[in-house]
């Protein structure tokens, strides 16, 4: 899975630090929490992965466990 940051002035996309991110299967869906601190990813083999979002850089860090 790849993460992108949006340049709000130009609309250009750039890969966030650490991207692409390894997943245990094929991506089915991505959802963010209302606070903007986490993103959740479901894969076709039944795994749910959670990542924290760095509010400054937009980078994602896997949540342990």
């Amino acid at each position: 899975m790849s993460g992108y940051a949006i340049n709000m002035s130009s609309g250009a996309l750039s890969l966030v630090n650490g991207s692409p991110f390894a997943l245990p299967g094929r991506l089915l869906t991505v959802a963010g929490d209302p606070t903007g601190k986490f993103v959740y990813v479901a894969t076709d083999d039944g795994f749910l992965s959670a990542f924290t979002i760095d509010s400054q850089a937009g980078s994602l860090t896997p949540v342990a466990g």
Side-chain angles (χ1 to χ4, degrees):
M1 173 183 82
S2 296
Y4 295 88
I6 302 171
N7 179 308
M8 299 309 266
S9 298
S10 68
L13 298 176
S14 59
L15 282 173
V16 297
N17 293 335
S19 187
F21 302 94
L23 296 175
R26 289 186 329 188
L27 177 67
L28 288 179
T29 190
V30 177
D33 81 308
T35 67
K37 295 181 181 180
F38 298 95
V39 65
Y40 304 95
V41 178
T43 58
D44 66 344
D45 52 0
F47 284 92
L48 178 65
S49 299
F51 298 87
T52 58
I53 303 169
D54 181 307
S55 62
Q56 299 297 320
S59 58
L60 302 176
T61 303
V63 173

